[in-house]
PDB file of all heavy atoms in Angstrom:
ATOM      1  N   ASP A 979      28.765 -23.456   0.615  1.00 86.00           N
ATOM      2  CA  ASP A 979      29.750 -24.394   0.040  1.00 86.00           C
ATOM      3  C   ASP A 979      29.473 -25.853   0.425  1.00 86.00           C
ATOM      4  O   ASP A 979      30.300 -26.705   0.283  1.00 86.00           O
ATOM      5  CB  ASP A 979      31.168 -24.007   0.417  1.00 86.00           C
ATOM      6  CG  ASP A 979      31.368 -23.957   1.948  1.00 86.00           C
ATOM      7  OD1 ASP A 979      30.419 -24.172   2.684  1.00 86.00           O
ATOM      8  OD2 ASP A 979      32.507 -23.693   2.326  1.00 86.00           O
ATOM      9  N   PHE A 980      28.256 -26.110   0.949  1.00 85.00           N
ATOM     10  CA  PHE A 980      27.923 -27.475   1.319  1.00 85.00           C
ATOM     11  C   PHE A 980      26.623 -27.917   0.612  1.00 85.00           C
ATOM     12  O   PHE A 980      25.740 -28.534   1.205  1.00 85.00           O
ATOM     13  CB  PHE A 980      27.763 -27.622   2.837  1.00 85.00           C
ATOM     14  CG  PHE A 980      26.848 -26.577   3.517  1.00 85.00           C
ATOM     15  CD1 PHE A 980      25.496 -26.906   3.717  1.00 85.00           C
ATOM     16  CD2 PHE A 980      27.329 -25.377   3.895  1.00 85.00           C
ATOM     17  CE1 PHE A 980      24.685 -25.969   4.299  1.00 85.00           C
ATOM     18  CE2 PHE A 980      26.523 -24.446   4.523  1.00 85.00           C
ATOM     19  CZ  PHE A 980      25.183 -24.739   4.714  1.00 85.00           C
ATOM     20  N   THR A 981      26.570 -27.632  -0.690  1.00 84.00           N
ATOM     21  CA  THR A 981      25.356 -27.992  -1.426  1.00 84.00           C
ATOM     22  C   THR A 981      25.240 -29.510  -1.656  1.00 84.00           C
ATOM     23  O   THR A 981      24.135 -29.984  -1.959  1.00 84.00           O
ATOM     24  CB  THR A 981      25.313 -27.272  -2.798  1.00 84.00           C
ATOM     25  OG1 THR A 981      26.509 -27.581  -3.524  1.00 84.00           O
ATOM     26  CG2 THR A 981      25.166 -25.805  -2.622  1.00 84.00           C
ATOM     27  N   LYS A 982      26.292 -30.267  -1.491  1.00 87.00           N
ATOM     28  CA  LYS A 982      26.171 -31.707  -1.568  1.00 87.00           C
ATOM     29  C   LYS A 982      25.219 -32.275  -0.496  1.00 87.00           C
ATOM     30  O   LYS A 982      24.495 -33.212  -0.744  1.00 87.00           O
ATOM     31  CB  LYS A 982      27.530 -32.391  -1.465  1.00 87.00           C
ATOM     32  CG  LYS A 982      28.370 -32.150  -2.678  1.00 87.00           C
ATOM     33  CD  LYS A 982      29.513 -33.155  -2.762  1.00 87.00           C
ATOM     34  CE  LYS A 982      30.455 -32.855  -3.862  1.00 87.00           C
ATOM     35  NZ  LYS A 982      29.921 -33.072  -5.165  1.00 87.00           N
ATOM     36  N   TRP A 983      25.242 -31.581   0.667  1.00 89.00           N
ATOM     37  CA  TRP A 983      24.271 -31.983   1.729  1.00 89.00           C
ATOM     38  C   TRP A 983      22.842 -31.739   1.259  1.00 89.00           C
ATOM     39  O   TRP A 983      21.980 -32.618   1.441  1.00 89.00           O
ATOM     40  CB  TRP A 983      24.512 -31.206   3.010  1.00 89.00           C
ATOM     41  CG  TRP A 983      23.650 -31.617   4.142  1.00 89.00           C
ATOM     42  CD1 TRP A 983      23.873 -32.635   5.018  1.00 89.00           C
ATOM     43  CD2 TRP A 983      22.346 -31.094   4.433  1.00 89.00           C
ATOM     44  NE1 TRP A 983      22.784 -32.746   5.855  1.00 89.00           N
ATOM     45  CE2 TRP A 983      21.835 -31.820   5.522  1.00 89.00           C
ATOM     46  CE3 TRP A 983      21.551 -30.091   3.895  1.00 89.00           C
ATOM     47  CZ2 TRP A 983      20.608 -31.554   6.096  1.00 89.00           C
ATOM     48  CZ3 TRP A 983      20.323 -29.853   4.439  1.00 89.00           C
ATOM     49  CH2 TRP A 983      19.847 -30.546   5.516  1.00 89.00           C
ATOM     50  N   PHE A 984      22.601 -30.604   0.620  1.00 87.00           N
ATOM     51  CA  PHE A 984      21.277 -30.279   0.149  1.00 87.00           C
ATOM     52  C   PHE A 984      20.849 -31.245  -0.980  1.00 87.00           C
ATOM     53  O   PHE A 984      19.710 -31.661  -1.056  1.00 87.00           O
ATOM     54  CB  PHE A 984      21.167 -28.834  -0.332  1.00 87.00           C
ATOM     55  CG  PHE A 984      21.042 -27.827   0.782  1.00 87.00           C
ATOM     56  CD1 PHE A 984      22.134 -27.081   1.159  1.00 87.00           C
ATOM     57  CD2 PHE A 984      19.851 -27.720   1.479  1.00 87.00           C
ATOM     58  CE1 PHE A 984      22.022 -26.169   2.206  1.00 87.00           C
ATOM     59  CE2 PHE A 984      19.734 -26.819   2.540  1.00 87.00           C
ATOM     60  CZ  PHE A 984      20.806 -26.043   2.893  1.00 87.00           C
ATOM     61  N   GLN A 985      21.804 -31.587  -1.818  1.00 88.00           N
ATOM     62  CA  GLN A 985      21.505 -32.578  -2.907  1.00 88.00           C
ATOM     63  C   GLN A 985      21.084 -33.899  -2.280  1.00 88.00           C
ATOM     64  O   GLN A 985      20.095 -34.508  -2.762  1.00 88.00           O
ATOM     65  CB  GLN A 985      22.703 -32.749  -3.812  1.00 88.00           C
ATOM     66  CG  GLN A 985      22.977 -31.522  -4.682  1.00 88.00           C
ATOM     67  CD  GLN A 985      24.250 -31.674  -5.486  1.00 88.00           C
ATOM     68  OE1 GLN A 985      25.024 -32.536  -5.300  1.00 88.00           O
ATOM     69  NE2 GLN A 985      24.430 -30.748  -6.420  1.00 88.00           N
ATOM     70  N   SER A 986      21.774 -34.361  -1.254  1.00 88.00           N
ATOM     71  CA  SER A 986      21.391 -35.621  -0.662  1.00 88.00           C
ATOM     72  C   SER A 986      20.035 -35.510   0.085  1.00 88.00           C
ATOM     73  O   SER A 986      19.309 -36.475   0.192  1.00 88.00           O
ATOM     74  CB  SER A 986      22.470 -36.138   0.311  1.00 88.00           C
ATOM     75  OG  SER A 986      22.568 -35.306   1.439  1.00 88.00           O
ATOM     76  N   TYR A 987      19.749 -34.304   0.587  1.00 88.00           N
ATOM     77  CA  TYR A 987      18.476 -34.063   1.290  1.00 88.00           C
ATOM     78  C   TYR A 987      17.302 -34.032   0.315  1.00 88.00           C
ATOM     79  O   TYR A 987      16.211 -34.526   0.641  1.00 88.00           O
ATOM     80  CB  TYR A 987      18.571 -32.721   2.026  1.00 88.00           C
ATOM     81  CG  TYR A 987      17.316 -32.275   2.688  1.00 88.00           C
ATOM     82  CD1 TYR A 987      16.787 -32.904   3.814  1.00 88.00           C
ATOM     83  CD2 TYR A 987      16.613 -31.144   2.203  1.00 88.00           C
ATOM     84  CE1 TYR A 987      15.626 -32.467   4.437  1.00 88.00           C
ATOM     85  CE2 TYR A 987      15.471 -30.688   2.831  1.00 88.00           C
ATOM     86  CZ  TYR A 987      14.998 -31.361   3.938  1.00 88.00           C
ATOM     87  OH  TYR A 987      13.842 -30.901   4.549  1.00 88.00           O
ATOM     88  N   LEU A 988      17.518 -33.539  -0.894  1.00 88.00           N
ATOM     89  CA  LEU A 988      16.456 -33.361  -1.859  1.00 88.00           C
ATOM     90  C   LEU A 988      16.289 -34.524  -2.841  1.00 88.00           C
ATOM     91  O   LEU A 988      15.146 -34.856  -3.234  1.00 88.00           O
ATOM     92  CB  LEU A 988      16.689 -32.069  -2.683  1.00 88.00           C
ATOM     93  CG  LEU A 988      16.647 -30.758  -1.871  1.00 88.00           C
ATOM     94  CD1 LEU A 988      17.179 -29.624  -2.748  1.00 88.00           C
ATOM     95  CD2 LEU A 988      15.264 -30.473  -1.374  1.00 88.00           C
ATOM     96  N   LYS A 989      17.401 -35.116  -3.278  1.00 87.00           N
ATOM     97  CA  LYS A 989      17.290 -36.109  -4.336  1.00 87.00           C
ATOM     98  C   LYS A 989      16.990 -37.515  -3.825  1.00 87.00           C
ATOM     99  O   LYS A 989      17.189 -37.840  -2.670  1.00 87.00           O
ATOM    100  CB  LYS A 989      18.621 -36.123  -5.116  1.00 87.00           C
ATOM    101  CG  LYS A 989      18.866 -34.776  -5.795  1.00 87.00           C
ATOM    102  CD  LYS A 989      19.799 -34.934  -6.966  1.00 87.00           C
ATOM    103  CE  LYS A 989      19.961 -33.544  -7.584  1.00 87.00           C
ATOM    104  NZ  LYS A 989      19.904 -33.570  -8.978  1.00 87.00           N
ATOM    105  N   ASN A 990      16.484 -38.322  -4.734  1.00 86.00           N
ATOM    106  CA  ASN A 990      16.165 -39.732  -4.474  1.00 86.00           C
ATOM    107  C   ASN A 990      15.110 -39.932  -3.407  1.00 86.00           C
ATOM    108  O   ASN A 990      15.097 -40.964  -2.736  1.00 86.00           O
ATOM    109  CB  ASN A 990      17.433 -40.520  -4.176  1.00 86.00           C
ATOM    110  CG  ASN A 990      18.407 -40.538  -5.310  1.00 86.00           C
ATOM    111  OD1 ASN A 990      18.006 -40.678  -6.474  1.00 86.00           O
ATOM    112  ND2 ASN A 990      19.658 -40.297  -5.039  1.00 86.00           N
ATOM    113  N   ARG A 991      14.247 -38.974  -3.202  1.00 88.00           N
ATOM    114  CA  ARG A 991      13.107 -39.127  -2.291  1.00 88.00           C
ATOM    115  C   ARG A 991      12.021 -39.965  -3.027  1.00 88.00           C
ATOM    116  O   ARG A 991      11.929 -39.829  -4.244  1.00 88.00           O
ATOM    117  CB  ARG A 991      12.515 -37.789  -1.883  1.00 88.00           C
ATOM    118  CG  ARG A 991      13.420 -37.011  -0.955  1.00 88.00           C
ATOM    119  CD  ARG A 991      12.759 -35.684  -0.604  1.00 88.00           C
ATOM    120  NE  ARG A 991      13.426 -35.054   0.479  1.00 88.00           N
ATOM    121  CZ  ARG A 991      13.156 -35.230   1.776  1.00 88.00           C
ATOM    122  NH1 ARG A 991      12.190 -36.030   2.096  1.00 88.00           N
ATOM    123  NH2 ARG A 991      13.834 -34.640   2.681  1.00 88.00           N
TER     124      ARG A 991
END
Side-chain angles (χ1 to χ4, degrees):
D979 58 357
F980 52 93
T981 56
K982 289 200 186 289
W983 182 88
F984 282 105
Q985 288 174 351
S986 69
Y987 175 69
L988 296 169
K989 296 202 180 224
N990 298 317
R991 290 180 169 269

